[in-house]
Amino acid sequence: MSKPLTYALLLTILMVTAPHAGHLPLWVSALCGTLLLWRAYLTYSGNPLPKRWLLMLITIASSSGIFISFNTLFGREASVTLLILLTTLKLMELRTARDAIVLIYLACFIIITNFLYSQSIPTALYLFATLMVILTTWVHLQTPSITFKPCARITSILLLQAIPLVLILFILFPRVQGPLWGLPQDAFASSGLDDKMSPGSLSRLSLSDEVAFRVNYTGDPPRREQMYWRGPVLWDFDGRTWTSGKAAQTTAPQFTELEQAIDYSVTLEPHNKTWLFALDLPDRISVPASLTHDFQVLSKEPVNTRLRYDVRSHLGYHANLHEAEWQIQRALQLPPSNPRARQLAEKWRANSGDDAAVVQAALTYFHQQGFLYTLEPPPLYANSVDDFLFETRQGFCEHYASTFVFLMRAAHIPARVVTGYQGGEFNDTGNYYIVRQSDAHAWAEVWLSGQGWVRIDPTAAIAPARVQSGLSAALPLMARNPPQWMRSLRLNWDTIANQWNQWVLGYNTERQFAFLTRLGIESVTWQKMVTSMAVGAGLVIALFALFMLRHMFAHRPDKIQTAWLKLCRKLAKIGLPRAAHEGAQDYAQRIATIRPDIADAIRDLATRYSALRYGMGQDEQTQREFIRLIKKFPSFRRMPESS
Amino acid sequence: MNLSLNNVIHQAEQIILGKPQQIRLALTCLLARGHLLIEDLPGVGKTTLAQVLARTLGLKFQRIQFTSDLLPADILGVSVFQRDSAEFKFHPGPIFAQMILADEINRATPKAQSALLEAMEEQQVTIEGVTRALPAPFFVIATQNPAHQVGTFLLPESQLDRFLMRIQMGYPDALAERGLLSGVDRREIITRLSPQLESAELLVLQQLVRKVFVSPALLDYIQAILRHTRESARYTHGLSPRAGLALLSAARAWALLDNRNAVIPEDVQAVLPGVTSHRLQVVGEYQKQSSNTLTRELIEAVAIP
């Protein structure tokens, strides 16, 4: 095992395991790092590898350690950890070429395990580079006389040749949806909206730049002020926290006077919850989902992979004009706290003619009493609504929505809190909208007789810019405002990431069928796919084979050389093989000293061969004579007894 | 023509005993219009070889002993003011000869070394703004002592490249040494040597070398050698294209010496050690091996296509 090869193998293992370091138990990462350093030092100093019993001891101890850490040796975490640990340990007994080959195969396998944790473009590019290193090491292992640079060239050519095959397999391999190759349920850590809301929960979320979902409008997009993406609807208030609570019974939602239909498709990032986001109010959706009585769209399963769905919404609507009595009651319940707020609401009630006037009074109050829109409001205590209304007067959208709904209920107007997202960032390179966690928002809905549920956004009364142009416009100092070039870079990157999500990661059965149909394949079946895959792959391989064979035939020896090689074979049979580097004259000279009986014949043939092959153009006659002499040369001559 | 070449070789072998290979390589170098670097210990016959060749080929011989205080003017010549004619007259230096023996070239400063090396490359010298052609044929044999490196200036790799070949003399074998010890003083014999060739004849021979035929099959072989040195893990750098050209012209000259009008792989193999050993840098772990072993392994690693 040469030093450069050992270093290359160390680099291979380091590169392939490095992305795992973040989620392995700390002691495993530390142990693997130590082992790699130790192995590098042993190679550098030329010291012998550790004894077998010591390795056995480390292996047993660390495997038991993994079992203790995870309580199992199976499952994703434990088995990946075990695999990485054993692979690193394998380096410590790297003695023969066979060990090196095993390590290379293990490295290839560990590459795949990385995709269990991340499938982003940077990960894919990094692992591609790792694959380059692995294959270069492998080529060097097979042909040690070639240095790494030409090896890398060979590897690049190999990988380039593999591209058509990869494309064919990727496009045509039948996608079977099922648990067999689905990712584990917890594949994606998630952050996002919750089904409860307390002061501070949305302002924390709005600090995250993570993408919640992306939207493509089929026609013209609606105005920004209409982009309210409905998420969890919250009914129950305990004085501090809003929760969705449990509905005693369910009734179907009723819509009337629907207008302003709008079609769009949403690509939702996995968030491990069931709700699907849609504009108010959703009417039709392309995936199996139900519409609840408070107009939430709920998926059948938690969304734990990226999900794309088409929706039709109506921006103009009358929703639940005739609301059930028990719902009205539910929308009026209040905890027995916050006396000053109740007092204020009752004063409005007394002074106003109808419900709409009360709503207007509340909004005017917010607008005129010096309320401040901020991401970092001062803390609120036991009577959070009173504290906010009369003491601090600083809050984020959840404070306004919560307080507003409290005031409405206190004034006997049915109301509820709706959370979700508002607005989004337009990506002009990809022509779609990006909705991030920072666009998370909370607003209110009140039920007015004759109008049904009506959306009221109290935040719009304090900071209209939030609704019209987004958070960064409303809070220029609080929000991070990147320079223009960085913004466009981010948008371009998001466009690429979106394409990657749609076409590489999201290439499922439906996409596959749609794509193949667009290519002109009618009535796609998996039999057809397998057949065309086999034919396509066969064609590509045949093409490369043909190319290589032609390359080989281009160097086919001419008839003079063929004849000479025949003579060499004849001589090899009597124990006088020609070395590959041996010239004809030297060969003849060598044979002459061993076999004086054929010395003259061989010398003559060698001289003829040299002249024919390396001399200036020889006539046909001389060539034929040479071939004839070789044919005539007896294929077996016994060694003379004397020598 | 070739008869006279044989005479040259024969006469040289009478004096430099037991070194036929070195004599042939030196002649090859001369015929291929290259220059020769001999690297060996003092007293193994470097000077004698140069003197014998010069005598036998009828060339005007000059010896320059390189020392640390040698100046370029000492090699090239200098203009001296003539009192009687009241003008400067150029006194040509030892470089204006047909065969130069640059003894212990590594003892001189780089400045003096480069004066010689430039003359080798350009076949002319420019002194005080006047360019003067050097006589033809022009052949430099430089010697270098591989031991005792204190206070010397080793030729850098780029300068080594100016020499077509680097050879070693080596000790003579027992028989040759006995002949040497029992025979007459070599210096005395050299003064009695008669030229076997005119310098005009030598120029014609140098022309002939260029006409030696090279087949595509042989070029394949040379390219295979070059490619091997570039891809092999054992050399820091492979052979340059110039080294390839040097290999080819040396092989042509060797073929001519062997009375052939076409180059065969054996010719390439014969000149390969001399042409490549000073142009190839091996990586650490192979440095302990002798250059002979290394070139032999290079030859054995490349199959003749």
Side-chain angles (χ1 to χ4, degrees):
Chain A
M1 199 65 37
S2 74
K3 274 187 185 186
L5 181 62
T6 313
Y7 288 132
L9 282 167
L10 277 167
L11 177 69
T12 303
I13 300 300
L14 179 68
M15 279 185 80
V16 84
T17 52
H20 280 298
H23 52 78
L24 291 182
L26 192 63
W27 67 271
V28 176
S29 303
L31 179 62
C32 290
T34 315
L35 285 173
L36 285 174
L37 276 177
W38 188 18
R39 187 66 179 87
Y41 171 73
L42 288 183
T43 313
Y44 173 75
S45 64
N47 285 339
L49 292 181
K51 295 270 184 299
R52 223 164 259 276
W53 63 264
L54 181 63
L55 286 179
M56 281 301 267
L57 209 69
I58 299 176
T59 310
I60 292 170
S62 48
S63 304
S64 329
I66 290 174
F67 184 78
I68 292 165
S69 300
F70 293 97
N71 269 324
T72 174
L73 286 179
F74 303 102
R76 181 179 60 156
E77 300 293 337
S79 48
V80 166
T81 313
L82 192 67
L83 181 68
I84 287 172
L85 188 84
L86 293 183
T87 306
T88 318
L89 273 167
K90 181 74 195 165
L91 270 173
M92 305 307 294
E93 54 167 19
L94 184 60
R95 290 191 174 86
T96 61
R98 187 183 160 277
D99 295 328
I101 291 172
V102 167
L103 267 174
I104 287 194
Y105 291 163
L106 281 172
C108 291
F109 191 73
I110 296 178
I111 275 201
I112 301 170
T113 63
N114 277 304
F115 285 114
L116 293 178
Y117 296 91
S118 166
Q119 305 164 357
S120 63
I121 298 177
T123 309
L125 288 179
Y126 173 80
L127 290 175
F128 185 78
T130 310
L131 186 66
M132 270 294 289
V133 173
I134 295 177
L135 288 184
T136 306
T137 313
W138 176 68
V139 172
H140 182 72
L141 178 72
Q142 301 296 331
T143 42
S145 63
I146 304 181
T147 50
F148 284 102
K149 229 189 200 163
C151 280
R153 211 182 55 218
I154 295 173
T155 309
S156 320
I157 294 171
L158 282 176
L159 285 176
L160 280 179
Q161 287 174 341
I163 286 177
L165 275 180
V166 167
L167 282 180
I168 289 174
L169 289 177
F170 178 79
I171 292 171
L172 290 172
F173 195 88
R175 299 296 198 280
V176 177
Q177 277 176 331
L180 187 57
W181 35 54
L183 285 169
Q185 294 292 307
D186 56 345
F188 297 95
S190 63
S191 70
L193 286 175
D194 211 344
D195 55 358
K196 49 179 177 285
M197 179 187 88
S198 47
S201 59
L202 283 182
S203 40
R204 265 196 305 278
L205 192 58
S206 67
L207 293 175
S208 162
D209 265 346
E210 253 180 75
V211 174
F213 52 92
R214 297 180 175 88
V215 190
N216 264 58
Y217 291 102
T218 312
D220 285 336
R223 280 178 293 123
R224 249 194 111 83
E225 300 95 282
Q226 295 175 308
M227 291 189 198
Y228 278 88
W229 298 94
R230 195 182 190 88
V233 178
L234 310 177
W235 292 82
D236 297 354
F237 188 49
D238 67 354
R240 183 168 188 86
T241 306
W242 288 88
T243 49
S244 53
K246 276 271 180 286
Q249 58 194 105
T250 51
T251 47
Q254 318 142 14
F255 307 127
T256 42
E257 293 169 54
L258 292 175
E259 50 196 34
Q260 277 187 274
I262 185 152
D263 291 303
Y264 52 93
S265 62
V266 175
T267 310
L268 181 62
E269 296 294 309
H271 57 68
N272 284 344
K273 307 276 169 45
T274 53
W275 46 79
L276 307 176
F277 297 93
L279 284 177
D280 278 344
L281 280 172
D283 183 7
R284 241 176 277 158
I285 188 158
S286 65
V287 290
S290 56
L291 189 62
T292 63
H293 62 92
D294 49 8
F295 320 123
Q296 298 182 57
V297 186
L298 294 183
S299 157
K300 297 257 182 287
E301 303 277 326
V303 182
N304 51 32
T305 56
R306 203 169 281 106
L307 180 68
R308 188 188 151 99
Y309 52 88
D310 300 322
V311 198
R312 163 170 287 187
S313 287
H314 292 275
L315 299 176
Y317 55 85
H318 281 172
N320 284 9
L321 271 177
H322 308 287
E323 187 61 285
E325 186 51 32
W326 61 270
Q327 293 250 52
I328 300 282
Q329 285 311 313
R330 200 173 159 219
L332 284 172
Q333 268 166 22
L334 277 182
S337 54
N338 301 307
R340 292 176 70 189
R342 282 163 183 278
Q343 228 173 357
L344 182 68
E346 269 149 28
K347 198 179 92 197
W348 287 339
R349 176 84 266 177
N351 294 346
S352 309
D354 58 354
D355 289 352
V358 177
V359 169
Q360 200 47 53
L363 292 179
T364 314
Y365 183 81
F366 280 138
H367 189 61
Q368 291 177 348
Q369 295 296 317
F371 281 88
L372 197 68
Y373 184 63
T374 170
L375 263 173
E376 291 170 345
L380 303 173
Y381 301 102
N383 286 325
S384 62
V385 177
D386 277 2
D387 281 355
F388 174 69
L389 268 177
F390 303 104
E391 306 296 331
T392 66
R393 296 197 172 177
Q394 293 180 29
F396 199 56
C397 56
E398 70 261 35
H399 299 84
Y400 291 103
S402 162
T403 308
F404 181 80
V405 172
F406 185 93
L407 289 168
M408 288 305 111
R409 287 187 179 185
H412 302 291
I413 300 171
R416 62 194 181 194
V417 173
V418 183
T419 57
Y421 298 90
Q422 204 279 324
E425 183 179 17
F426 182 61
N427 186 342
D428 44 7
T429 33
N431 198 26
Y432 60 89
Y433 280 83
I434 307 167
V435 180
R436 299 176 192 279
Q437 298 299 351
S438 55
D439 295 313
H441 193 51
W443 59 94
E445 265 181 345
V446 293
W447 188 82
L448 304 175
S449 64
Q451 290 184 54
W453 289 99
V454 176
R455 179 175 63 226
I456 308 287
D457 190 351
T459 307
I462 297 110
R466 163 68 184 88
V467 175
Q468 280 153 17
S469 358
L471 184 62
S472 52
L475 293 171
L477 290 178
M478 306 298 259
R480 281 155 296 169
N481 246 333
Q484 183 55 38
W485 64 269
M486 203 191 256
R487 214 184 77 90
S488 64
L489 196 73
R490 206 171 65 166
L491 288 181
N492 279 326
W493 174 250
D494 195 84
T495 311
I496 298 168
N498 188 34
Q499 292 296 325
W500 171 263
N501 290 341
Q502 304 275 342
W503 287 105
V504 180
L505 301 181
Y507 189 75
N508 54 16
T509 320
E510 291 107 68
R511 283 244 141 177
Q512 188 175 34
F513 276 55
F515 183 70
L516 292 179
T517 314
R518 232 166 63 189
L519 281 186
I521 303 174
E522 283 163 27
S523 60
V524 187
T525 59
W526 70 267
Q527 288 95 334
K528 256 190 198 171
M529 282 198 282
V530 170
T531 320
S532 36
M533 189 171 76
V535 170
L539 265 176
V540 169
I541 292 172
L543 215 72
F544 281 129
L546 207 71
F547 183 73
M548 279 169 165
L549 283 178
R550 219 192 55 184
H551 211 67
M552 263 166 69
F553 280 126
H555 287 269
R556 197 174 44 177
D558 58 10
K559 53 188 176 179
I560 298 298
Q561 206 182 356
T562 316
W564 169 251
L565 292 174
K566 198 162 144 194
L567 177 69
C568 293
R569 275 197 300 278
K570 281 181 180 177
L571 289 165
K573 275 187 195 150
I574 58 168
L576 296 167
R578 183 181 73 95
H581 69 275
E582 208 168 16
Q585 306 289 327
D586 287 349
Y587 185 42
Q589 199 57 40
R590 188 162 63 88
I591 290 177
T593 55
I594 308 170
R595 292 288 299 264
D597 56 325
I598 51 171
D600 289 340
I602 294 289
R603 276 210 193 100
D604 174 48
L605 283 173
T607 313
R608 282 168 186 270
Y609 171 68
S610 292
L612 281 170
R613 185 152 164 76
Y614 299 104
M616 261 177 283
Q618 303 281 337
D619 56 67
E620 199 68 14
Q621 181 64 37
T622 329
Q623 292 188 2
R624 271 204 298 275
E625 175 73 5
F626 173 69
I627 294 168
R628 195 183 61 78
L629 280 173
I630 297 241
K631 275 192 185 139
K632 218 182 75 184
F633 191 84
S635 56
F636 185 75
R637 288 200 187 196
R638 222 173 296 150
M639 294 282 274
E641 298 298 317
S642 54
S643 61
Chain B
M1 197 67 79
N2 290 331
L3 191 71
S4 44
L5 265 180
N6 283 340
N7 287 344
V8 169
I9 294 170
H10 182 73
Q11 183 165 335
E13 280 177 352
Q14 298 301 306
I15 300 162
I16 304 150
L17 299 173
K19 294 286 165 210
Q21 186 76 2
Q22 277 80 352
I23 293 168
R24 290 179 82 95
L25 281 175
L27 261 179
T28 302
C29 211
L30 177 55
L31 289 176
R33 302 183 189 216
H35 303 284
L36 181 67
L37 178 66
I38 307 180
E39 200 173 75
D40 220 324
L41 299 166
V44 288
K46 292 177 296 215
T47 315
T48 318
L49 175 68
Q51 283 177 329
V52 168
L53 280 180
R55 272 276 172 183
T56 319
L57 297 169
L59 298 177
K60 189 178 168 238
F61 178 73
Q62 275 288 0
R63 175 192 176 127
I64 311 174
Q65 182 66 44
F66 275 54
T67 56
S68 54
D69 56 356
L70 188 80
L71 295 174
D74 296 334
I75 302 171
L76 304 177
V78 69
S79 291
V80 179
F81 186 72
Q82 301 297 114
R83 190 179 289 175
D84 45 351
S85 60
E87 60 186 12
F88 282 95
K89 185 169 183 291
F90 180 68
H91 290 255
I95 192 89
F96 290 90
Q98 288 170 312
M99 179 180 283
I100 315 284
L101 174 67
D103 216 357
E104 298 198 77
I105 189 168
N106 55 335
R107 290 181 140 261
T109 53
K111 200 171 177 178
Q113 287 175 357
S114 55
L116 175 74
L117 294 164
E118 272 173 44
M120 281 161 57
E121 189 71 13
E122 312 289 333
Q123 296 268 335
Q124 62 182 28
V125 289
T126 304
I127 306 150
E128 292 154 10
V130 185
T131 303
R132 295 166 205 271
L134 292 170
F138 178 71
F139 182 51
V140 174
I141 299 180
T143 73
Q144 190 165 251
N145 184 349
H148 312 300
Q149 299 291 358
V150 180
T152 64
F153 300 93
L154 271 182
L155 290 177
E157 279 81 27
S158 59
Q159 305 273 35
L160 282 174
D161 204 33
R162 305 275 167 96
F163 292 97
L164 179 65
M165 284 191 204
R166 184 182 72 174
I167 63 171
Q168 270 120 33
M169 293 299 283
Y171 295 118
D173 56 24
L175 191 70
E177 189 140 42
R178 174 59 71 95
L180 198 68
L181 293 172
S182 59
V184 197
D185 184 8
R186 301 286 124 184
R187 269 172 295 182
E188 208 171 295
I189 311 177
I190 290 171
T191 54
R192 283 189 267 124
L193 286 179
S194 58
Q196 300 292 325
L197 236 108
E198 298 283 317
S199 57
E201 282 179 294
L202 194 60
L203 287 175
V204 173
L205 280 172
Q206 284 184 338
Q207 288 296 332
L208 273 181
V209 166
R210 297 184 167 189
K211 296 202 177 93
V212 172
F213 179 73
V214 175
S215 63
L218 191 99
L219 290 180
D220 283 346
Y221 179 51
I222 288 186
Q223 280 194 301
I225 293 174
L226 298 179
R227 195 167 51 242
H228 174 79
T229 63
R230 289 166 196 167
E231 288 178 355
S232 167
R234 104 184 358 205
Y235 308 104
T236 47
H237 305 291
L239 289 172
S240 64
R242 180 156 70 182
L245 286 171
L247 192 58
L248 185 61
S249 64
R252 277 181 153 138
W254 187 269
L256 186 78
L257 268 186
D258 229 14
N259 269 331
R260 264 180 290 103
N261 58 0
V263 183
I264 60 172
E266 283 88 336
D267 300 327
V268 178
Q269 293 177 353
V271 298
L272 185 100
V275 176
T276 61
S277 69
H278 60 297
R279 292 182 159 102
L280 277 176
Q281 293 265 303
V282 289
V283 296
E285 51 193 300
Y286 298 105
Q287 272 172 0
K288 289 172 213 142
Q289 297 179 19
S290 75
S291 64
N292 279 340
T293 324
L294 284 168
T295 44
R296 201 185 63 234
E297 280 171 359
L298 172 58
I299 290 173
E300 285 173 4
V302 183
I304 296 175

